[in-house]
Amino acid sequence: SAVISQKPSRDICQRGTSLTIQCQVDSQVTMMFWYRQQPGQSLTLIATANQGSEATYESGFVIDKFPISRPNLTFSTLTVSNMSPEDSSIYLCSVGMGSPNEQFFGPGTRLTVL
Amino acid sequence: GENVGLHLPTLSVQEGDNSIINCAYSNSASDYFIWYKQESGKGPQFIIDIRSNMDKRQGQRVTVLLNKTVKHLSLQIAATQPGDSAVYFCAEKRDSWGKLQFGAGTQVVVTP
């Protein structure tokens, strides 16, 4: 398994601003993923972030809204840009390890947009 | 698109009884499944996984059953405890990169 931390753990933001969420892993991993979990709902994959390449976004998510960085094998950031109340969610990063890519999740960042 | 769904949104279980959480999947080509537990205010916690070449896998107090014929997955929790109260998600591996498709989730409430 892996120890995954996220910063901030929660935030309350104003409409139109942006927030960058950090994800740190205690070991080097190839695959990192970002998910969104809207209130009372399941997890939806936003994008896959591999070190050294552009993030791959799922249908309904675009880079301008959710830019992602992956500068090395232990760190990634997700930015939620030009926020609206509809962006209020829990944002989770996860890492894939081993075969067949067991995934482990961070504690999440709870975002509220006013 | 392909879906991974759950039959029951809420499951109320008496402490000490066994819990069974069900999950249906639609992609017959899926080869790997995971069950997660998510407690309030926390990220999903890996519980147990199973590959498609297996029918059953056991962990500590948990058993996952896979029925490929009817594309059904279940999680059994033995002697349910108050600490088992959480939302449980099944997830299906979508591709070789490891992307996961999550089911809707089942809220398990353990009553004394």
Side-chain angles (χ1 to χ4, degrees), chain A residues 15-109:
Chain A
R15 180 194 300 261
T17 62
S18 298
L19 177 71
T20 295
I21 301 167
Q22 299 179 6
C23 179
Q24 180 77 52
V25 189
D26 69 341
S27 57
Q28 294 185 337
V29 295
T30 301
M31 309 296 296
M32 292 184 78
F33 306 89
W34 286 98
Y35 289 81
R36 181 176 72 183
Q37 186 176 25
Q38 294 178 301
Q41 297 191 27
S42 187
L43 285 75
T44 301
L45 181 64
I46 297 172
T48 303
N50 294 335
Q51 193 268 336
S53 62
E54 295 282 333
T56 305
Y57 289 82
E58 297 298 304
S59 175
F61 297 95
V62 295
I63 188 171
D64 289 346
K65 176 67 176 178
F66 297 101
I68 288 171
S69 78
R70 182 78 201 274
N72 57 53
L73 292 174
T74 63
F75 188 78
S76 179
T77 67
L78 170 76
T79 298
V80 186
S81 303
N82 188 25
M83 288 182 285
S84 67
E86 292 71 33
D87 295 319
S88 297
S89 291
I90 300 171
Y91 291 86
L92 299 137
C93 70
S94 72
V95 301
M97 304 185 74
S99 176
N101 288 119
E102 296 178 7
Q103 271 192 45
F104 300 94
F105 283 81
T109 295

Side-chain angles (χ1 to χ4, degrees), chain B residues 2-4 24-31 33 71 92-95:
Chain B
E2 303 286 3
N3 291 308
V4 178
Y25 64 94
S26 55
N27 185 358
S28 56
S30 295
D31 63 358
F33 304 87
K71 290 182 284 187
E92 170 188 12
K93 183 183 170 188
R94 284 172 42 188
D95 60 19

Side-chain angles (χ1 to χ4, degrees), chain B residues 2-101:
Chain B
E2 303 286 3
N3 291 308
V4 178
L6 294 174
H7 295 306
L8 298 172
T10 303
L11 179 66
S12 184
V13 182
Q14 194 156 20
E15 183 177 354
D17 287 351
N18 296 335
S19 304
I20 300 176
I21 306 166
N22 296 303
C23 179
Y25 64 94
S26 55
N27 185 358
S28 56
S30 295
D31 63 358
Y32 181 61
F33 304 87
I34 307 175
W35 280 100
Y36 288 94
K37 172 186 179 182
Q38 187 176 28
E39 297 175 278
S40 181
K42 298 183 178 180
Q45 176 188 358
F46 179 99
I47 302 174
I48 192 168
D49 60 356
I50 188 168
R51 299 186 191 223
S52 61
N53 62 355
M54 303 172 69
D55 297 323
K56 178 180 179 178
R57 190 161 188 228
Q58 288 184 289
Q60 186 177 10
R61 283 201 306 117
V62 295
T63 301
V64 55
L65 299 178
L66 177 62
N67 186 331
K68 295 179 287 295
T69 302
V70 295
K71 290 182 284 187
H72 184 268
L73 192 68
S74 68
L75 178 70
Q76 301 178 1
I77 305 173
T80 310
Q81 303 170 359
D84 295 326
S85 292
V87 177
Y88 290 81
F89 293 98
C90 64
E92 170 188 12
K93 183 183 170 188
R94 284 172 42 188
D95 60 19
S96 59
W97 293 103
K99 296 178 184 177
L100 295 178
Q101 179 77 39

